[in-house]
Amino acid sequence: MTMTPQEVQKHFMAYLEATECTVIEKSPEHVTVKLSPQADKMLTNRPYYWSFVERTGAPAETLSFQFVFDPEAYDERMAKAKLAESKAQLSAPQQDPLLARFYGNAPVLPVLGPGRIQRENVSYGSSRLAQIWNAAREEGKCVYLFQQPVTEPRPRARSTPYEQWLGVCFKVEFSCDLKREELHYVGISLSTRKIVTDFPAVLNGRELTPRLPESVHVRPAAVSLREAAGLLEEHLIVSLSKLDYTWASKARERLAEELTVIDSYYEDLLKEQDEEKKAQIEEQYRNRRSEMQWQYEPKISFSAITCGLFHLCSPVSASS
């Protein structure tokens, strides 16, 4: 798996916009930003500085970065721009030599922009991209959102009912000596207990906001969040039980072959007469078998990556 520079930039911009960073300059190859306090805390590793700011109430000064997603194309474009600027300066009127003698050569154009800006090349696999993903995962584990109602004339006294939905994105891992992962994003209504297996389809096209809109009310929940989460887990387990597990049978066959090889290798070694050496060989033999069983034994595990409580104002028609 890999990502193009455009896809990396899209992921980066989504995080920067979500954390309200200030974009100073942007092109198809790069973006120059001044981090917001939230992003600065997550990305710059300055805990002592931020503890000082929070303790003293001093105005915070965040860092600025130039993130380059396609270094080759960006450097080529900047070289052409610098060459064009040099030609323009040569063709511009020369400064007064007498003034230059006493005051030095003044720049033709004023120097604009923020202070020191650090450049970083960002690509798929880079530590900065991984840091952005980790920060987004850490800060976006749980969300609490309301659907923005469609603007339409209605009596002021009329209130729109909102239905509460718990949405959870589960990561399912199928592992043996090979590994496969799946994402299952499911949702459950806290009012009707209805479970939807493709919850993103329910949210698609709806404008969501963290603020409660005007003239709405939330329907009471019939189940608690803990109970709803348990129902989703049970639903996922039932769904997983219906899958084809031929891969698990083949993994156990490979495990049996590996154990047979280990047994045949240690068969003669275990006949050692020296008790001390024999004890060491037996321990090594058990460890090898344990390692093979851990590596080849088929396993299934799932965990919740993100979750959210969504308040939706129209009936959900997606298939459950």
Side-chain angles (χ1 to χ4, degrees):
M1 177 183 175
T2 186
M3 295 175 65
T4 65
Q6 293 75 24
E7 292 173 332
V8 172
Q9 185 175 16
K10 182 179 178 182
H11 279 243
F12 237 81
M13 292 306 301
Y15 179 79
L16 297 177
E17 292 171 1
T19 53
E20 300 181 345
C21 297
T22 302
V23 176
I24 301 172
E25 185 182 35
K26 183 177 180 294
S27 76
E29 301 93 17
H30 88 293
V31 63
T32 304
V33 296
K34 183 174 179 59
L35 299 180
S36 65
Q38 179 185 358
D40 194 290
K41 291 177 183 178
M42 294 297 296
L43 303 180
T44 61
N45 192 25
R46 300 194 295 166
Y48 296 110
Y49 171 75
W50 283 107
S51 65
F52 166 78
V53 169
E54 295 170 356
R55 190 171 59 253
T56 62
E61 182 60 34
T62 61
L63 300 183
S64 298
F65 286 88
Q66 182 185 69
F67 297 114
V68 181
F69 308 103
D70 192 342
E72 184 176 350
Y74 177 76
D75 292 339
E76 182 180 354
R77 182 168 62 83
M78 294 304 295
K80 292 180 180 179
K82 188 174 182 179
L83 179 61
E85 182 181 355
S86 300
K87 291 181 179 179
Q89 290 180 355
L90 291 175
S91 61
Q94 298 297 317
Q95 300 180 20
D96 190 322
L98 183 61
L99 293 176
R101 177 181 177 183
F102 289 98
Y103 298 104
N105 291 323
V108 178
L109 296 175
V111 178
L112 302 177
R116 177 174 178 266
I117 298 179
Q118 305 177 52
R119 168 175 170 168
E120 286 192 15
N121 295 339
V122 182
S123 61
Y124 179 71
S126 65
S127 59
R128 182 63 78 178
L129 181 60
Q131 188 182 33
I132 286 284
W133 283 343
N134 291 334
R137 188 181 299 113
E138 183 66 25
E139 295 179 304
K141 282 183 177 179
C142 300
V143 295
Y144 192 84
L145 298 173
F146 297 85
Q147 180 180 351
Q148 190 70 30
V150 179
T151 56
E152 58 180 7
R154 65 175 185 270
R156 183 177 294 273
R158 180 183 173 188
S159 178
T160 303
Y162 271 37
E163 185 177 5
Q164 299 182 73
W165 284 80
L166 173 64
V168 182
C169 182
F170 291 101
K171 181 177 73 171
V172 181
E173 296 184 359
F174 305 87
S175 58
C176 50
D177 54 322
L178 305 174
K179 187 175 182 180
R180 181 167 61 92
E181 296 180 348
E182 293 181 355
L183 294 180
H184 296 257
Y185 198 176
V186 294
I188 180 172
S189 168
L190 301 188
S191 300
T192 65
R193 298 174 179 256
K194 178 181 180 180
I195 294 178
V196 175
T197 56
D198 187 11
F199 195 59
V202 173
L203 301 179
N204 187 34
R206 299 174 189 259
E207 184 179 353
L208 301 174
T209 174
R211 297 182 179 180
L212 176 67
E214 297 180 356
S215 302
V216 303
H217 68 275
V218 179
R219 291 175 178 171
V223 295
S224 65
L225 288 176
R226 183 182 296 275
E227 185 180 359
L231 291 173
L232 288 180
E233 290 183 2
E234 292 176 7
H235 173 81
L236 183 59
I237 292 174
V238 171
S239 299
L240 295 177
S241 66
K242 298 177 182 178
L243 298 179
D244 181 10
Y245 286 94
T246 305
W247 64 272
S249 301
K250 293 182 178 179
R252 289 195 175 93
E253 292 176 2
R254 294 193 297 272
L255 172 60
E257 293 174 359
E258 292 294 330
L259 293 178
T260 300
V261 172
I262 293 174
D263 292 343
S264 61
Y265 175 79
Y266 281 94
E267 183 177 1
D268 293 333
L269 295 177
L270 291 173
K271 298 177 182 179
E272 173 66 43
Q273 299 299 321
D274 187 293
E275 293 297 330
E276 184 177 352
K277 289 184 178 179
K278 185 176 181 180
Q280 295 176 352
I281 294 174
E282 288 178 346
E283 182 180 3
Q284 188 181 61
Y285 171 63
R286 289 193 298 269
N287 291 338
R288 289 292 304 277
R289 285 184 60 90
S290 178
E291 290 173 1
M292 287 299 103
Q293 289 174 340
W294 177 86
Q295 180 179 356
Y296 282 86
E297 186 67 31
K299 298 174 286 291
I300 302 175
S301 62
F302 65 88
S303 58
I305 300 178
T306 59
C307 63
L309 193 60
F310 302 87
H311 303 78
L312 308 180
C313 64
S314 59
V316 174
S317 59
S319 60
S320 58

